[in-house]
Amino acid sequence: MHNLYQRLLVSLGVILFTLIAIYFSAYTVFRPIFSLFLAAIVGAALWELYKIAKIKGYRPLSALGIIGSIAYVYSIFLATEYPRFDVLPFAFLLFLLMGGFVVYFYTRSQPLVNLSLTFFGLIYLTIPLSLMIPIIFDYGRSYLIFLIAVTKLTDTGAYFIGSYFGKTKLAPYISPNKSWEGAIGGFFIGTLTSFLFALFYPKLGFTLIESIIVGAVLSLASQFGDLTESLLKRDVGVKDSNQLPGLGGMLDVVDSLVFTTPLLYFYLKLGY
């Protein structure tokens, strides 16, 4: 129970801080600050992923990946703000790839594996999560709040329902504590959250049917993202990606957003 209270307290603090950051992002002067805030979160999650890889004896280019990740996220902001910079993110990725090869021109430390791990982190975390920037700046703060609410309430619902009613293991090898009961409960809570947004906040522009479909897809993607991170941690035998009180690690915080963020972005891009 102590761990549960600690988790709730820390989570509420993080949510409050995130909502404040999202609120002020509407003001032009705070847009670069919000982008740096997101870049720092992504960089921290990437650092934890590289740390997990090092437990297995691999040596990804952590400094190159993290600095490049922060630069990439900020380049997405610049491309969103100034259309003439729309090629900047692609240029950053190209220079990062070239820089990674240059490093291994002078070392024999398993370039194929370590370069692959370095850029896997960018593909897995940086590129999907950076899409929060066009979501919030092109479509509005409400959509980012909607994304985080559906994703995190899915997680919360699955956690509590699984804790009290979970009996049937969902994926015992990957995560022994996850259950089908928790997954189904989280799915319904996430979908209900989306429905309530459409019902009480019509400004989003979702019909009630659309909200159910979008909520269901995001809820499934949220749990899929959680399982993918559990798979990576299981491979090296760690429970949490870090030791942040009540949270585990930054990677544990963002894992469920890895797939929900691009899915919502694609929907908004194609549908509006």
Side-chain angles (χ1 to χ4, degrees), residues 17 51 56 64 118-119 166 181 232-233 244 249:
F17 186 80
K51 188 173 71 169
K56 291 283 287 187
L64 179 74
T118 301
F119 286 93
E181 292 83 0
L232 298 177
K233 292 189 296 185
L244 298 177

Side-chain angles (χ1 to χ4, degrees), residues 13 46 59 63 86-87 94 100 121-122 126 130 153 159 186 225 230 240 243:
L46 190 60
R59 291 293 177 266
D86 59 350
V87 300
L94 176 62
L122 294 172
T126 308
S130 69
L153 285 174
Y159 176 80
S230 294
D240 296 320
Q243 297 300 318

